[in-house]
Amino acid sequence: MGDSKEAGAEAPPAGAAARGSLSLLSQGESEEPAQGSALFLGGNEVKSTAVVKYSSAPPRTAFARLEEKTDLKLPPANWLRESAKLGPAGTTILGNSKKSKPFSSFGMAYDFIDSVGNDVDVVSDSENIKKLLKIPYSKSHVSMAVHRVGRTLLLDELDIQELFMRSSQTGDWTWLKEFYQRLIDQKWQRKKKSKEHWYQKAILSKFLYYSINGDGAAQPVPSAAEQQEPSGSGQTNDSDGASWPAPFEMPSSVSEDPSASSQGSEPLEPSYIVGHVASAPKEQNLTTLFNDGENSQGLKNDFVRNILWTFEDIHMLVGSNMPIFGGGRYPAVSLRLRDNNKPINVLTGIDYWLDNLICNVPELVMCFHVNGIVQKYEMIKTEEIPNLENSNFSTKVIKDIAQNILSFLKSNCTKEGHTYWLFKASGSDIVKLYDLTTLCEETEDKYQNPFTMPVAILLYKVACNMMMKKNQNKKHYGTIRTLLLNCVKLLDKSRHPQLDEPKKEESSESPLNENSDESYSEEEEETPDSDENGPYGSSADPPDDNKAVAIIKSVGELSVPEKYKSIHQIRPSCAFPVCHDTEERCRLVLSYVLEGLKSVDSSIKKESDLPAADPNTPIPLKYEDESTRGGPEGLEKQMALFLDKMGSLQKGNYSSQSGMIPGSWQHKMKLQLILKSSKAYYVLSDAAMSLQKYGRALRYIKLALQSHDTYCCLCTNMLSEVLLFLSQYLTLCGDIQLMLAQNANNRAAHLEEFNYQTKEDQEILHSLHRESSCQGFAWATDLSTDLESQLSVSCKCYEAANEILQFSDLKNQNPEHYVQVLKRMGNIRNEIGVFYMNQAAALQSERVVSKSVSTAEQQLWKKSFSCFEKGIHNFESIDDATNAALLLCNTGRLMRICAQAHCGTGDELKREFSPEEGMYYNKAVDYYLKALRSLGTRDIHPAVWDSVNWELSTTYFTMATLQQDYAPLSRKAQEQIEKEVSEAMMKSLKYCDVDSVSARQPLCQYRAATIHHRLASMYHSCLRNQVGDEHLRKQHRVLADLHYSKAVKLFQLLKDAPCELLRVQLERVAFAEFQMTSQNSNVGKLKTLSGALDIMVRTKHAFQLIGRELVGELGQPKSEEAPPAADPSPSLNREEVIKLLSIFESRLSFLLLQSIKLLSSTKKKTSNNGEDDVALKTNKQIYSQLLRATANRNTTLSERIDVLTRLLDQLARGSGGPGQ
């Protein structure tokens, strides 16, 4: 069809400029809502805007103005042919006079589902709107079906007479017929249309065809005799004319007069017209229509245009078939035919005015005729219609009528899904509203209401539309659930299981969404007296009206402004609350899924062929020992089978054990229900994971994967969205297996949670087992007792998730999930690598020192290295520099473990630093340097940067220390070894940050002090052993003195290394003594001795620290002892202190004795040096006291330290020899 939309369908009021040219759009194209025009009518302003939402009419063309004396009784050449200009208006004898289809509002609601529930107050045919607004002026009967969806009311004509005609033939609607006869009209009979009625419709149809047929000349007026003949024939024929057709009508009810077949005889036209209209497919009768829920025949939106009409504050979606003409002087006009002998009455005036208002047509062209002979044309503006002679009415009153009727309906039609009947008998002033759904439920068959199916489908569509909106507020989840549950209530599972399942399937969807932030009422039923206490209570009504929900006692009340006001909420307290607890919501979902699965399974014919299974018998969850499963090797085989299966899914392989036919409604619904169950179990698993209930989480993810496995078996075309779900399920399964591996101490509790099953889960599994074995993911969901197996399963889950993302280019469509999967793969490979590395270290510690490296250790190294390498690649592929650096750091640690494994081979006494040790330590250094390059700068991640620097410094320090302690003299010269040690120590110092304040700063200071101490000792040793090269000796002397000084400064910064400080100072004293042996003059020796004594004095700080620790040990109970933070040596080594103290006493005694000798000999030569005398006297006193103190063997360690501290104080005050 060449349907089009009128983007500029709104015509301006008379005298205003046109709104621009018309544009043609394809039928499926959307139209931007345009601002409508406000019409000022009859001096009383009534706000009215109309926006054409859809139009199948072609661009407007001017109408053909007929000449006077044109005989409209004669058919034009184009009569009753399809015409885009008229649409259905011509063939149905002007659409605004035909009876509406019973579901016309539903057709519009389906097409404009976004407007239903919130934005629009009323959806209806324009004829129904006009009939309602004319109630106070008309004595005609009114019979309409009213349905509520949210704040929207759907109005449809309910032709009671037609229903009862059908009831007499089919037996349906007998309950309504009995009710109608008992309370309203005991003797009803069908009222046939008069001959005049059909005559007027016939000439109106011909007039319209003449008006669009500019080239077809009308025939002259025939003779009186010829004119009488057709008139008489037409009258005789109309006596048996069929009633106006409706979808309720059975095909046999359309009776056509046999004489209608005669051609060229104009008088037979009424029967012909009716037959033409009734030529719709006969399967559109009610019974067939609802046998298939997906059949939309009879619910089609077949209006020429759908208009969003705003009348004052009322928003209506209206369907109209009125032809609109335009062009030239008249851009938009409606065309009417009137008998010149009959004046226009109020009803006709309101009819014309509302038609123009709804379609936003500013002018009306009236053609007057007498007995079918055209007389004249007259142009009338829309705003002038209310003031026509004999047709005066107030637009304000019409507005009040509209507002009162809407308020009346909204206040009383409160239950979604219910069919209400608005009825006014012919000639009566009383309007009654009945709840047909409640009346129908009192009968034997409560599903006899034919509106049940369209209402259910509409509720479903509105709910689905709300769910599909991504920006939908979470507060609407309760509304969605209410819509779906009301929908399910309307359906009879035994009659329409294929329609019941989609509703259950969607009902199971809304609780899966996030928690709703809105607090919903816990009431699930509407307050029963809400209507009775309102302004329409029926308490004062006659007893025979007690079935009515509400009554308007006099139609005159509708003209009173604000007589009826809606006091009810848009959606009353019957909204079902969405529970906030995740597990409760998911359990609700699973209950709906289970109901749906049971319905589907019971409808499959081949059920009897299946092996019997008791749904109450738990299906065992296999618990396999790792030895039976084959370990990681068996896991590799299972993974290969899984990947083969995924490949077959891409080809659409189908395998169902129950014999379901692909494409059948059972197949489609079971697929959707199974998918919903897998989603629900996934959410439950994720929630259990967050609660650290890992056994429960594994059970739920196992059920999710079993559901998905069944889905894969049934699916003929795997969607990328479903593959993404599977990837997410496997990712979560990997997380759970990893957490189980890291929490092995609670294995018994996890196992108990894993093996628990609810009856609901058992029944769902029973339904799943009808289709597949559900073992496709058994490799991923078994609870193992072996740590290595759990880590391997976790890794394989991530690998499988990653493989799935490679299908259908999912990784590019879901980059965030892809990054998360790769991160997890890198992390689990790091975990496995650390696991193998620790196993290798454990084997190494158990090995005998002299034994060589075992094959088992080497295999573990290879496995660990492979895992680290793959993990590094994972992190580098997603530019995760920090984690890549951490894995490089772990690889460096692995290299150090390999180096340590080689250091234990051979005799300890003859041990040397081996080439293998050097190779692995250098590899470790390379990996640490790569980690630093990966990070780039410290700013990226300071903690990781500092950690890598520390490990690199440690590696250099360890390598230097081993080369120094176990010098490879059999392979290298002493000088080369000293050079390599010095370089390694300096590099270690480079990466040892002593300045930055952090928790590691004391360790760095201790490390740096130790390095300086070792370098000083090395240069001291070189100086002792060096012979010959004086320049080299001097260089070593300077370097030794420099490093001793730096070591002392750093050790003095530490409060917990007094022994180290004391040892360094003693070595400095020994270095001074060594220098003194090479001196010849007494003055030089005295100066060196004075420097050595000064070093002795500076050791007072170390003794004070030792003394404090000794006092602390004596003063505090052992239970209260707490080692200081970052303490490299947490407790004082008393044996070492005693040893160092003895050495210190002997060296101090030696230095004092040498000093006394030198000062005495100097005094003999020069007797006038007072300072030397004082120094000599002081040294003698101190030497004497020291000898007495050392001679007393009963003194305690603390007393000895106190004595030395006091003597050092005396020495510091009294010494004043040269060089001090």
Side-chain angles (χ1 to χ4, degrees):
M1 296 242 344
D3 292 350
S4 65
K5 295 190 178 185
E6 297 177 1
E10 297 181 301
R19 283 191 176 272
S21 60
L22 299 173
S23 60
L24 295 179
L25 306 174
S26 64
Q27 183 177 356
E29 200 167 343
S30 63
E31 177 184 357
E32 290 295 327
Q35 181 61 40
S37 304
L39 301 184
F40 300 90
L41 307 168
N44 295 325
E45 180 183 343
V46 176
K47 295 179 182 178
S48 172
T49 61
V51 178
V52 178
K53 303 291 287 182
Y54 166 81
S55 175
S56 59
R60 297 174 192 151
T61 57
F63 63 92
R65 193 181 185 99
L66 305 184
E67 297 179 1
E68 289 186 26
K69 306 300 181 183
T70 300
D71 188 356
L72 296 179
K73 294 190 292 297
L74 299 177
N78 62 344
W79 190 46
L80 294 182
R81 295 179 184 173
E82 288 189 7
S83 170
K85 296 178 183 178
L86 290 180
T91 55
T92 58
I93 321 173
L94 193 60
N96 62 356
S97 296
K98 79 177 185 72
K99 288 199 179 293
S100 303
K101 289 187 177 181
F103 309 116
S104 60
S105 68
F106 290 90
M108 283 190 287
Y110 294 165
D111 285 352
F112 300 98
I113 202 73
D114 279 338
S115 301
V116 177
N118 291 314
D119 301 334
V120 173
D121 296 298
V122 176
V123 178
S124 185
D125 185 348
S126 61
E127 297 304 308
N128 297 331
I129 300 295
K130 292 189 294 181
K131 187 175 288 189
L132 285 177
L133 298 185
K134 291 188 293 184
I135 284 179
Y137 300 92
S138 174
K139 294 296 182 180
S140 300
H141 85 284
V142 174
S143 176
M144 290 189 190
V146 185
H147 298 88
R148 181 173 188 146
V149 177
R151 61 168 281 177
T152 302
L153 298 176
L154 281 73
L155 305 179
D156 295 280
E157 182 172 3
L158 187 61
D159 192 336
I160 291 293
Q161 307 293 345
E162 197 71 45
L163 284 177
F164 295 163
M165 286 287 292
R166 172 182 174 80
S167 175
S168 62
Q169 298 172 9
T170 64
D172 296 335
W173 292 93
T174 53
W175 61 273
L176 183 57
K177 182 178 178 180
E178 293 171 1
F179 170 75
Y180 183 84
Q181 289 177 321
R182 186 173 71 251
L183 293 182
I184 299 170
D185 187 0
Q186 296 182 0
K187 296 181 179 180
W188 73 273
Q189 60 181 1
R190 184 160 187 86
K191 297 177 182 179
K192 296 185 178 182
K193 301 294 183 181
S194 66
K195 298 173 184 179
E196 178 65 20
H197 173 82
W198 293 115
Y199 169 74
Q200 294 295 338
K201 286 193 172 291
I203 64 169
L204 177 56
S205 176
K206 293 170 188 176
F207 166 68
L208 288 174
Y209 275 96
Y210 273 122
S211 298
I212 64 169
N213 186 20
D215 301 328
Q219 297 185 19
V221 180
S223 64
E226 292 174 341
Q227 187 172 351
Q228 287 246 305
E229 182 184 346
S231 177
S233 300
Q235 291 174 3
T236 57
N237 179 68
D238 195 58
S239 61
D240 294 325
S243 64
W244 197 250
F248 290 102
E249 189 174 288
M250 292 296 286
S252 58
S253 67
V254 180
S255 60
E256 299 182 14
D257 197 301
S259 60
S261 61
S262 98
Q263 299 180 0
S265 178
E266 185 271 341
L268 303 180
E269 142 264 319
S271 271
Y272 172 80
I273 294 169
V274 175
H276 183 84
V277 176
S279 63
K282 295 184 180 179
E283 49 273 3
Q284 285 194 20
N285 63 70
L286 199 65
T287 305
T288 310
L289 175 63
F290 296 111
N291 278 343
D292 187 357
E294 296 178 4
N295 184 359
S296 62
Q297 291 184 347
L299 302 179
K300 183 180 178 183
N301 177 11
D302 55 1
F303 292 103
V304 172
R305 61 183 61 82
N306 301 125
I307 301 161
L308 188 60
W309 181 40
T310 302
F311 186 58
E312 286 295 319
D313 58 345
I314 303 172
H315 303 282
M316 293 177 268
L317 182 62
V318 181
S320 174
N321 289 325
M322 185 180 77
I324 301 176
F325 299 90
R329 292 175 53 195
Y330 314 111
V333 296
S334 59
L335 202 55
R336 301 289 182 173
L337 182 67
R338 288 299 300 173
D339 191 332
N340 204 21
N341 296 326
K342 296 179 181 179
I344 299 176
N345 59 26
V346 173
L347 294 176
T348 306
I350 293 175
D351 207 64
Y352 292 172
W353 180 69
L354 287 174
D355 266 332
N356 278 18
L357 214 59
I358 290 171
C359 296
N360 213 5
V361 176
E363 292 177 295
L364 167 71
V365 175
M366 190 84 76
C367 177
F368 292 92
H369 74 96
V370 175
N371 295 326
I373 307 299
V374 175
Q375 300 296 314
K376 63 176 180 177
Y377 282 84
E378 184 179 334
M379 182 74 69
I380 304 171
K381 291 184 178 180
T382 302
E383 59 265 35
E384 295 173 355
I385 296 175
N387 299 321
L388 292 176
E389 187 179 357
N390 299 318
S391 180
N392 286 328
F393 61 89
S394 169
T395 58
K396 286 288 188 182
V397 171
I398 302 297
K399 177 204 72 171
D400 293 333
I401 293 170
Q403 290 175 335
N404 282 325
I405 289 176
L406 179 64
S407 297
F408 172 77
L409 293 175
K410 281 202 169 183
S411 296
N412 295 286
C413 302
T414 56
K415 297 180 180 178
E416 278 181 327
H418 280 227
T419 298
Y420 293 90
W421 178 30
L422 184 71
F423 178 77
K424 182 179 89 71
S426 180
S428 173
D429 284 344
I430 300 175
V431 182
K432 300 179 182 180
L433 184 70
Y434 298 96
D435 185 348
L436 293 186
T437 302
T438 303
L439 295 174
C440 185
E441 287 174 351
E442 297 172 359
T443 66
E444 293 181 1
D445 186 357
K446 68 175 184 176
Y447 296 103
Q448 270 200 6
N449 184 354
F451 286 98
T452 297
M453 190 60 60
V455 174
I457 293 174
L458 181 59
L459 293 173
Y460 174 67
K461 286 184 177 246
V462 172
C464 290
N465 183 63
M466 294 178 73
M467 291 173 67
M468 285 189 292
K469 290 181 179 178
K470 292 184 179 179
N471 60 347
Q472 189 72 291
N473 195 299
K474 290 187 289 186
K475 294 181 179 180
H476 290 170
Y477 292 151
T479 301
I480 294 170
R481 184 170 174 235
T482 302
L483 288 165
L484 292 171
L485 290 176
N486 285 336
C487 176
V488 172
K489 285 181 180 178
L490 294 174
L491 296 172
D492 181 6
K493 289 190 290 186
S494 61
R495 292 185 180 181
H496 310 292
Q498 69 271 36
L499 293 181
D500 187 43
E501 297 319 309
K503 314 307 184 290
K504 287 180 179 173
E505 181 252 318
E506 293 296 339
S507 297
S508 67
E509 177 70 23
S510 58
L512 273 179
N513 293 304
E514 297 180 27
N515 287 333
S516 170
D517 294 332
E518 184 178 9
S519 297
Y520 294 96
S521 169
E522 294 183 359
E523 300 177 26
E524 295 192 359
E525 293 296 333
E526 190 186 357
T527 310
D529 60 350
S530 59
D531 295 332
E532 295 176 9
N533 297 332
Y536 319 115
S538 57
S539 58
D541 295 329
D544 54 348
D545 287 337
N546 59 2
K547 294 290 185 181
V549 174
I551 296 176
I552 298 176
K553 297 177 182 179
S554 173
V555 293
E557 295 178 354
L558 295 174
S559 303
V560 180
E562 299 186 1
K563 173 67 177 176
Y564 301 105
K565 295 182 68 175
S566 178
I567 58 174
H568 288 255
Q569 308 171 46
I570 290 175
R571 186 177 297 280
S573 59
C574 58
F576 291 91
V578 173
C579 47
H580 291 263
D581 181 67
T582 301
E583 185 165 359
E584 187 179 347
R585 290 204 316 276
C586 290
R587 280 293 166 194
L588 197 60
V589 171
L590 291 170
S591 67
Y592 292 133
V593 167
L594 180 57
E595 286 183 36
L597 289 173
K598 285 180 178 178
S599 297
V600 172
D601 290 342
S602 63
S603 68
I604 299 174
K605 295 179 180 178
K606 297 185 69 175
E607 184 175 14
S608 58
D609 300 335
L610 295 174
D614 182 7
N616 296 320
T617 303
I619 296 173
L621 296 169
K622 293 187 177 180
Y623 176 74
E624 299 181 42
D625 187 74
E626 189 59 34
S627 59
T628 62
R629 204 172 72 174
E633 293 77 12
L635 194 60
E636 291 288 346
K637 294 178 182 178
Q638 291 174 322
M639 267 295 293
L641 292 173
F642 164 74
L643 294 177
D644 288 342
K645 181 176 181 179
M646 293 308 301
S648 67
L649 286 177
Q650 297 298 301
K651 302 173 185 176
N653 289 356
Y654 173 81
S655 59
S656 169
Q657 297 177 3
S658 66
M660 275 194 303
I661 301 172
S664 64
W665 72 265
Q666 291 100 331
H667 178 251
K668 292 177 182 177
M669 287 303 103
K670 192 154 191 177
L671 273 178
Q672 292 302 313
L673 290 166
I674 289 172
L675 188 60
K676 287 292 184 299
S677 70
S678 70
K679 288 182 185 178
Y681 283 127
Y682 169 75
V683 175
L684 283 169
S685 179
D686 190 51
M689 178 78 170
S690 63
L691 295 173
Q692 299 182 359
K693 302 291 184 181
Y694 304 123
R696 187 192 308 173
L698 185 63
R699 168 164 56 90
Y700 284 137
I701 202 64
K702 178 168 187 172
L703 290 165
L705 288 169
Q706 285 177 321
S707 299
H708 204 285
D709 185 38
T710 306
Y711 182 93
C712 294
C713 292
L714 296 178
C715 188
T716 54
N717 183 23
M718 185 66 71
L719 299 174
S720 59
E721 179 189 19
V722 179
L723 286 174
L724 178 62
F725 289 152
L726 179 56
S727 178
Q728 292 170 342
Y729 298 168
L730 288 168
T731 303
L732 180 59
C733 186
D735 293 344
I736 296 167
Q737 292 283 11
L738 175 58
M739 297 312 297
L740 284 168
Q742 293 176 349
N743 292 270
N745 51 339
N746 290 329
R747 193 180 300 278
H750 296 323
L751 183 61
E752 183 180 355
E753 288 180 342
F754 176 68
N755 287 328
Y756 175 78
Q757 267 190 319
T758 65
K759 182 178 180 182
E760 194 172 63
D761 294 338
Q762 294 170 16
E763 292 180 339
I764 290 175
L765 265 178
H766 169 63
S767 181
L768 297 180
H769 277 276
R770 290 169 56 89
E771 310 301 337
S772 75
S773 62
C774 301
Q775 294 299 311
F777 299 96
W779 57 269
T781 55
D782 286 334
L783 181 56
S784 175
T785 57
D786 180 65
L787 179 60
E788 180 184 359
S789 175
Q790 285 179 319
L791 292 173
S792 298
V793 168
S794 177
C795 184
K796 293 303 176 186
C797 286
Y798 296 137
E799 288 176 3
N802 183 45
E803 288 289 340
I804 292 167
L805 291 177
Q806 309 303 321
F807 295 124
S808 305
D809 200 29
L810 278 173
K811 68 176 183 180
N812 294 328
Q813 298 172 15
N814 304 275
E816 293 183 2
H817 179 60
Y818 178 64
V819 167
Q820 288 300 317
V821 170
L822 285 183
K823 274 191 176 182
R824 284 168 163 78
M825 284 176 65
N827 177 61
I828 190 61
R829 283 167 171 165
N830 176 58
E831 293 285 342
I832 297 174
V834 170
F835 171 77
Y836 288 135
M837 181 169 64
N838 291 339
Q839 278 197 324
L843 283 178
Q844 178 185 320
S845 63
E846 295 170 0
R847 175 164 47 88
V848 180
V849 175
S850 60
K851 196 174 180 181
S852 61
V853 179
S854 65
T855 306
E857 282 183 79
Q858 292 176 347
Q859 290 297 323
L860 290 171
W861 294 344
K862 289 178 182 178
K863 289 181 180 179
S864 179
F865 180 75
S866 175
C867 290
F868 287 141
E869 199 171 37
K870 290 176 181 177
I872 292 166
H873 176 72
N874 291 143
F875 286 125
E876 287 179 346
S877 64
I878 56 174
D879 298 325
D880 190 343
T882 304
N883 282 319
L886 287 173
L887 262 73
L888 286 165
C889 198
N890 279 340
T891 312
R893 183 179 161 217
L894 175 65
M895 295 299 106
R896 286 162 58 191
I897 288 176
C898 295
Q900 291 168 12
H902 286 87
C903 75
T905 57
D907 188 2
E908 182 68 22
L909 298 175
K910 300 178 180 179
R911 186 189 156 197
E912 290 186 354
F913 185 73
S914 65
E916 290 81 7
E917 287 179 86
M919 177 189 70
Y920 282 117
Y921 277 121
N922 284 321
K923 284 186 176 181
V925 166
D926 290 340
Y927 282 112
Y928 289 130
L929 290 174
K930 283 181 183 178
L932 290 178
R933 286 196 295 272
S934 175
L935 290 171
T937 61
R938 187 175 185 271
D939 297 335
I940 293 178
H941 203 299
V944 176
W945 176 272
D946 293 343
S947 178
V948 176
N949 271 281
W950 172 254
E951 295 296 333
L952 182 56
S953 172
T954 302
T955 304
Y956 278 124
F957 176 74
T958 305
M959 188 163 53
T961 303
L962 290 172
Q963 281 185 295
Q964 190 176 13
D965 294 345
Y966 304 101
L969 295 173
S970 63
R971 295 183 289 109
K972 297 180 181 178
Q974 180 70 33
E975 293 78 6
Q976 185 182 357
I977 294 172
E978 290 171 358
K979 181 181 177 182
E980 290 178 359
V981 169
S982 177
E983 289 176 352
M985 288 292 190
M986 294 309 293
K987 287 179 180 177
S988 180
L989 273 176
K990 175 184 175 182
Y991 295 104
C992 188
D993 186 5
V994 297
D995 300 322
S996 298
V997 178
S998 65
R1000 193 181 275 121
Q1001 188 183 24
L1003 288 174
C1004 292
Q1005 291 173 339
Y1006 185 85
R1007 166 73 54 76
T1010 305
I1011 290 172
H1012 285 299
H1013 180 200
R1014 277 187 163 271
L1015 286 172
S1017 298
M1018 184 182 72
Y1019 291 126
H1020 185 182
S1021 176
C1022 291
L1023 187 63
R1024 286 177 179 275
N1025 301 325
Q1026 187 73 34
V1027 179
D1029 192 344
E1030 189 60 31
H1031 173 72
L1032 193 59
R1033 285 175 60 83
K1034 184 177 180 182
Q1035 185 179 6
H1036 286 166
R1037 188 182 302 115
V1038 171
L1039 288 172
D1041 189 55
L1042 174 67
H1043 286 293
Y1044 275 133
S1045 300
K1046 289 184 177 181
V1048 169
K1049 287 181 181 179
L1050 288 168
F1051 277 131
Q1052 284 177 339
L1053 294 174
L1054 301 170
K1055 298 179 181 179
D1056 42 26
C1059 293
E1060 287 82 355
L1061 176 59
L1062 186 57
R1063 186 180 294 106
V1064 172
Q1065 295 288 41
L1066 287 173
E1067 285 190 21
R1068 290 183 72 188
V1069 169
F1071 182 65
E1073 290 177 3
F1074 173 73
Q1075 286 181 297
M1076 191 174 65
T1077 56
S1078 62
Q1079 293 175 334
N1080 296 323
S1081 66
N1082 286 344
V1083 176
K1085 288 182 178 181
L1086 193 60
K1087 185 177 180 180
T1088 303
L1089 278 172
S1090 179
L1093 286 172
D1094 185 52
I1095 292 171
M1096 286 292 198
V1097 170
R1098 293 177 185 174
T1099 57
K1100 176 186 173 183
H1101 177 68
F1103 286 122
Q1104 288 175 338
L1105 291 175
I1106 293 172
R1108 288 173 194 164
E1109 288 197 26
L1110 290 173
V1111 171
E1113 288 180 2
L1114 294 173
Q1116 290 184 358
K1118 289 186 179 181
S1119 61
E1120 296 180 4
E1121 287 184 2
D1127 187 1
S1129 51
S1131 61
L1132 192 66
N1133 190 335
R1134 297 177 69 90
E1135 293 181 2
E1136 185 180 9
V1137 170
I1138 293 171
K1139 180 181 177 182
L1140 291 172
L1141 194 60
S1142 300
I1143 295 172
F1144 183 86
E1145 288 171 344
S1146 66
R1147 301 327 299 162
L1148 180 59
S1149 175
F1150 172 78
L1151 291 175
L1152 287 172
L1153 180 59
Q1154 294 299 318
S1155 175
I1156 291 169
K1157 288 181 180 179
L1158 288 173
L1159 286 173
S1160 298
S1161 62
T1162 305
K1163 182 180 179 182
K1164 292 177 181 178
K1165 296 179 180 179
T1166 57
S1167 58
N1168 57 351
N1169 193 335
E1171 291 183 0
D1172 290 347
D1173 292 342
V1174 174
L1176 179 60
K1177 183 178 178 182
T1178 301
N1179 289 350
K1180 285 182 178 179
Q1181 290 176 353
I1182 294 171
Y1183 181 66
S1184 174
Q1185 292 177 26
L1186 180 61
L1187 288 177
R1188 284 197 295 271
T1190 53
N1192 186 2
R1193 298 181 179 276
N1194 295 325
T1195 56
T1196 63
L1197 183 60
S1198 297
E1199 290 172 346
R1200 290 173 66 184
I1201 291 174
D1202 290 341
V1203 170
L1204 285 175
T1205 304
R1206 189 177 71 253
L1207 293 177
L1208 291 175
D1209 283 338
Q1210 292 179 17
L1211 187 62
R1213 289 194 302 269
S1215 61
Q1220 293 185 8

